[in-house]
Amino acid sequence: KAGVTQTPRYLIKTRGQQVTLSCSPISGHRSVSWYQQTPGQGLQFLFEYFSETQRNKGNFPGRFSGRQFSNSRSEMNVSTLELGDSALYLCASSLLGQGATAPLHFGNGTRLTVT
Amino acid sequence: DAKTTQPNSMESNEEEPVHLPCNHSTISGTDYIHWYRQLPSQGPEYVIHGLTSNVNNRMASLAIAEDRKSSTLILHRATLRDAAVYYCILRRNTGANSKLTFGKGITLSVRP
């Protein structure tokens, strides 16, 4: 069974640009969540989607957005990039219906560098 | 979500058992205790979870205190490949696969 796939693996952008990151969940997983990881703040929750709807949102500005498609694939977008957006962006998928017992399966992330 | 507290780092010798502690004094009755680990240049990997009873799987064991205010992840024989950051987190049954709050985790070093 293929794992969670995130593309691209690395990305370099300049301030003010926008970026779109992609996540393909494990087959059969309908919940997708996104996390930002930085050395200073650790892993921080961005948002969660299932059934093409945002279900939970973390404490990030509106420049961070996402969406989920009918095949459960998800994208996240960051507009008007700032230097502080440089981070590892991680996507995780999980099964629905298992509540708090459902393990999250993470991809290896997209490393975004903003210059 | 309730918070967890872990030491910043631990060291172990290869092939010896490792006990990684986690405090969660504000845990509620419906919070599950989950452990993940993150190897260098990879995303976090699920290790184990439990509610009240001790749990074993092929990767590790989870020992949960009777009052549930603390837990310990046990690696029975550490290998060099177990060197990673280990995160202890709490998950509540809210109906959605709710957001997780990861702390800084424990950085485990394994000496050959």
Side-chain angles (χ1 to χ4, degrees):
Chain A
K1 204 175 200 183
V4 176
T5 303
Q6 291 189 248
T7 56
R9 192 80 169 89
Y10 301 94
L11 207 48
I12 300 174
K13 292 285 188 178
T14 56
R15 276 178 297 177
Q17 287 187 313
Q18 74 162 15
V19 67
T20 299
L21 312 181
S22 179
C23 172
S24 293
I26 290 173
S27 178
H29 286 194
R30 291 170 51 208
S31 171
V32 174
S33 51
W34 288 89
Y35 292 79
Q36 181 195 66
Q37 186 172 34
T38 60
Q41 298 296 320
L43 264 160
Q44 294 185 284
F45 172 80
L46 280 157
F47 25 65
E48 180 195 9
Y49 287 86
F50 60 87
S51 298
E52 301 174 62
T53 302
Q54 188 179 92
R55 304 294 178 167
N56 281 297
K57 191 177 192 314
N59 193 23
F60 279 81
R63 299 185 297 106
F64 291 81
S65 63
R67 59 178 176 167
Q68 186 182 35
F69 302 95
S70 58
N71 61 359
S72 296
R73 192 177 70 83
S74 177
E75 290 181 346
M76 68 162 282
N77 184 278
V78 188
S79 62
T80 320
L81 283 166
E82 300 177 0
L83 294 179
D85 297 333
S86 295
L88 180 67
Y89 290 89
L90 291 158
C91 165
S93 74
S94 63
L95 290 169
L96 286 180
Q98 294 183 353
T101 65
L104 293 185
H105 297 264
F106 285 83
N108 287 331
T110 294
R111 172 74 61 187
L112 172 65
T113 302
V114 182
T115 62
Chain B
D1 292 324
K3 291 277 176 70
T4 62
T5 306
Q6 301 176 260
N8 289 333
S9 62
M10 287 189 70
E11 287 189 340
S12 172
N13 294 319
E14 197 175 11
E15 298 191 3
E16 290 186 355
V18 182
H19 291 231
L20 303 175
C22 181
N23 287 318
H24 27 80
S25 59
T26 60
I27 192 170
S28 78
T30 56
D31 285 338
Y32 283 79
I33 302 158
H34 282 244
W35 282 81
Y36 285 76
R37 72 178 185 180
Q38 187 171 20
L39 302 172
S41 302
Q42 294 187 21
E45 172 189 29
Y46 166 80
V47 177
I48 200 166
H49 77 272
L51 184 62
T52 55
S53 305
N54 295 343
V55 184
N56 300 295
N57 67 20
R58 63 174 181 82
M59 291 181 70
S61 296
L62 177 60
I64 301 172
E66 197 168 334
D67 64 5
R68 301 208 327 124
K69 293 184 186 298
S70 65
S71 61
T72 302
L73 180 71
I74 302 166
L75 307 179
H76 295 285
R77 289 184 66 204
T79 69
L80 298 178
R81 292 179 61 185
D82 291 323
V85 179
Y86 287 78
Y87 298 97
C88 165
I89 58 175
L90 303 180
R91 294 188 67 188
R92 186 166 297 170
N93 252 336
T94 61
N97 288 342
S98 59
K99 61 181 181 180
L100 300 183
T101 302
F102 286 77
K104 296 292 176 70
I106 302 173
T107 299
L108 174 65
S109 304
V110 180
R111 291 183 291 252

